[in-house]
Amino acid sequence: MEISCELQRGPVYLTGEDLECWVKVINTSETVGVLAWVSAQLNCFCTVSEDKVTNIEPKNRKISIESQNVNKTSFQPTHGEMGLAVLSTKTKVLACSLEVGPGEVKKFLFTENIPHNAPPSFRGQSVKYSYKLCIGSQKLGESTSLLRLPIRILSVDTYSPNMMREI
């Protein structure tokens, strides 16, 4: 099984806009494949440079969540990421108990509104805010797999969703 994703209109978005992504599941084997689930979530991570910022507790600089589940069958989109997750949207289940025939392709549209109060992407000398769209899946009887797609978020104070329609 292969999972790929394609952003509808590129990797840059404004706060308040909808992020739309097509998630494609392709069965490359010669037998029917079954996915237990496919889920997606948008996350923003704040990473602090250890040599530039000294007044933050070390435990708050990096977070890498280790799974308590040996089989790793749950969706953990922040697992192994550097930094503190400062924004995580609700997880959306795109498919459950999905059977895909040999050579068959299934497509799902993931849509997420980027909150107006979301911090913009930023890469400074001491602090970095980075966004990743995480698509997770689990093939029946196997551990989970994650696909992380970096995106950039810009913040405009005067932006409103109706602004583009008025012009």
Side-chain angles (χ1 to χ4, degrees):
M1 292 277 208
E2 272 182 27
I3 295 188
S4 64
C5 60
E6 180 183 342
L7 293 170
Q8 281 293 95
R9 51 173 212 86
V12 180
Y13 294 86
L14 296 174
T15 55
E17 286 188 319
D18 285 341
L19 179 147
E20 291 183 332
C21 179
W22 282 102
V23 178
K24 211 185 315 184
V25 178
I26 306 163
N27 186 353
T28 56
S29 72
E30 295 182 12
T31 60
V32 173
V34 180
L35 286 177
W37 52 264
V38 179
S39 296
Q41 184 179 44
L42 178 65
N43 295 289
C44 175
F45 299 96
C46 176
T47 309
V48 177
S49 175
E50 292 182 26
D51 58 338
K52 307 258 186 208
V53 179
T54 58
N55 62 344
I56 296 179
E57 292 182 43
K59 69 177 183 176
N60 290 333
R61 290 185 191 163
K62 293 182 191 174
I63 291 186
S64 177
I65 299 172
E66 292 298 326
S67 173
Q68 299 295 336
N69 188 348
V70 178
N71 295 329
K72 296 184 180 171
T73 59
S74 62
F75 182 52
Q76 299 175 1
T78 60
H79 176 74
E81 285 288 339
M82 298 295 285
L84 180 66
V86 294
L87 175 95
S88 293
T89 61
K90 288 184 178 180
T91 301
K92 292 188 179 176
V93 177
L94 303 177
C96 207
S97 300
L98 179 67
E99 285 190 16
V100 186
E104 188 177 3
V105 176
K106 302 254 181 163
K107 287 176 77 173
F108 304 94
L109 181 63
F110 169 74
T111 303
E112 184 65 63
N113 182 269
I114 301 162
H116 287 283
N117 61 349
S121 299
F122 177 75
R123 186 177 181 136
Q125 292 182 355
S126 302
V127 177
K128 174 181 159 186
Y129 286 88
S130 58
Y131 282 84
K132 292 184 183 165
L133 172 59
C134 185
I135 311 292
S137 66
Q138 182 191 12
K139 191 173 179 182
L140 209 55
E142 296 182 13
S143 61
T144 61
S145 62
L146 297 176
L147 172 64
R148 292 186 174 111
L149 185 64
I151 63 169
R152 190 167 295 270
I153 303 296
L154 304 175
S155 179
V156 180
D157 288 338
T158 59
Y159 174 77
S160 74
N162 296 327
M163 179 187 296
M164 296 306 281
R165 294 183 192 118
E166 295 170 3
I167 294 178

